[in-house]
């Protein structure tokens, strides 16, 4: 699986749609830990599940400290996007 391509598609889909009804989370397209900014052009609204998937993809792409966000989001327990 090409994790980078999957991440790009997820972000493109989120940018093209109208903001979903209900709960959404702001996501930094380029994480601040990798030099991203808080500019609106670097932020996208994702559902909770999409946000979790985005961080798993980023962790698989970049490794290292990107896994910390996944661990924090899952509460340190085993979690997948459906359980999240």
């Amino acid at each position: 699986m090409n994790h980078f391509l999957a991440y790009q598609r997820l972000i493109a889909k989120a940018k093209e749609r109208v903001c979903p009804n209900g709960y959404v989370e702001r996501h930094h397209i380029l994480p601040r830990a990798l030099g991203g900014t808080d500019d609106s052009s670097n932020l996208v609204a994702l559902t909770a599940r999409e946000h979790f998937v985005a961080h798993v993809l980023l962790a698989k792409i970049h490794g290292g400290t990107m896994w910390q966000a996944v661990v924090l989001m899952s509460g340190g327990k085993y979690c997948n996007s459906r359980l999240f």
Side-chain angles (χ1 to χ4, degrees):
M1 173 179 198
N2 186 332
H3 298 107
F4 182 73
L5 182 58
Y7 180 74
Q8 285 185 318
R9 286 180 179 159
L10 175 71
I11 298 303
K13 177 183 164 189
K15 284 178 147 183
E16 292 172 3
R17 70 173 177 223
V18 175
C19 189
N21 291 330
Y23 180 75
V24 294
E25 298 176 350
R26 287 185 339 162
H27 173 71
H28 289 87
I29 299 167
L30 177 64
R32 290 188 302 174
L34 298 176
T37 66
D38 290 331
D39 294 339
S40 61
S41 62
N42 191 42
L43 295 171
V44 66
L46 300 176
T47 65
R49 183 175 183 210
E50 288 172 334
H51 198 199
F52 181 79
V53 169
H55 277 281
V56 170
L57 290 170
L58 284 169
K60 288 183 176 188
I61 294 165
H62 299 287
T65 59
M66 293 293 105
W67 283 107
Q68 290 176 346
V70 176
V71 171
L72 289 173
M73 292 174 91
S74 63
K77 301 176 186 172
Y78 171 78
C79 190
N80 62 35
S81 67
R82 297 250 183 234
L83 293 173
F84 183 77

